Amino acid sequence: MRDSILLLMSMPRDIMVVLPLTDATDSIATSNVDALMNNDIPPVIPLTNAPETPQVGSENTIFGFPSCPEDLKPINGMIFSNLEDGIDFYNKYAKVCGFIPRLDSTKLVNGIVTHKRCVCNKEGKSKNKGTKRKRTVTRSGCEAKVSFKRIDTGEYQIYDFVEVHTHAMVTPATMVHMKPSRNLNLFHKKMIMDNSRVNHGPVDSFRMFKEYKKAMSPSFYFNFDVDDEKRLSKVFWADPISIKNYALFGEAVSFDATYNFNEYKMVFCPFTGVDNHKRCVTFAGGLLRKEDGESFTWLFENFVKAMGDCYPTTIITDQCKGIN
């Protein structure tokens, strides 16, 4: 027994072997020792957490099953009142799992859809058209899919659902940048159309989308007023960062209303200050059609209201009579 243990301890560390169990508890079979010396026993293969599942197709290797709550997972035999509801259900499932679905084949009988299949966007193989331009590989032969068929009641039933994918899933943090999350709603489309009438293109419109923070941040403050002809005459706004800047560096406020008129005949009136690094910071901004006492009073009152009724210690401005 002692000699056998010493023999095992003297073997190279890179030989990882498996010894079959024997009934004896105080000795090691001589045949096992001979097998070790002759390297007849194959090395140990490390175990993984992946379940032993058969491969999908003849060439693809299984990557894994997507993580999804059971109530959102399609099941063979599941019935939907119409095909649109079934496709929408699969789209929601794909968004939770982290992949992008794509509509595939359709079978029609007398103009009625009897069979419909949705696949992963990485289904199939990318075709090399002989171009020299390097393209990102978007298809990897994934066979995940769901197939619907029309039953006698006019409803649609899932009859072929393949869950496993051959690629990594998209993380929730990056899913917002994928194609399904980049659709424009009716409000965005209307805004782009309206902005195009005043010579503002899609780029300017998307920059404006970023400024609509009221719905996302209750701290965003804005107000406006119109004249007797229902035309915009006064505008004031202050975002949360500007309000925070005022709370930190609002002892002295610089107010200047001498900026040139824009194409809408309104003058820009910024409230600015200086931080502890001697850099200019913005507290708020406004647009006025008239530079009179009434307009400036309206602007200053909204500024104080936006800052939580906290008055500045010092205001630096010019000799404008309306401001005075």
Side-chain angles (χ1 to χ4, degrees), residues 165-214:
H165 291 257
T166 59
H167 56 88
M169 300 291 103
V170 179
T171 61
T174 58
M175 192 66 187
V176 295
H177 304 294
M178 306 305 292
K179 186 176 180 180
S181 303
R182 299 200 302 261
N183 296 330
L184 295 177
N185 56 33
L186 183 60
F187 168 75
H188 292 152
K189 294 178 181 179
K190 185 178 185 303
M191 184 174 182
I192 293 176
M193 294 279 297
D194 294 340
N195 289 342
S196 64
R197 299 174 183 173
V198 290
N199 298 326
H200 288 284
V203 176
D204 291 339
S205 298
F206 277 100
R207 289 174 179 172
M208 293 178 186
F209 293 156
K210 293 163 52 178
E211 302 303 324
Y212 286 109
K213 303 176 183 179
K214 183 61 179 178

Side-chain angles (χ1 to χ4, degrees), residues 253-259 267-271 286 288 290-301 303 312 314-324:
V253 177
S254 175
F255 179 78
D256 189 1
T258 59
Y259 283 80
V267 64
F268 178 54
C269 307
F271 295 82
L288 298 177
K290 296 181 180 180
E291 296 184 76
D292 54 10
E294 179 185 357
S295 299
F296 286 120
T297 299
W298 180 90
L299 194 66
F300 294 154
E301 288 177 349
F303 176 80
T314 305
I315 296 180
I316 303 174
T317 184
D318 55 16
Q319 300 295 325
C320 175
K321 293 183 179 179
I323 296 177
N324 292 333

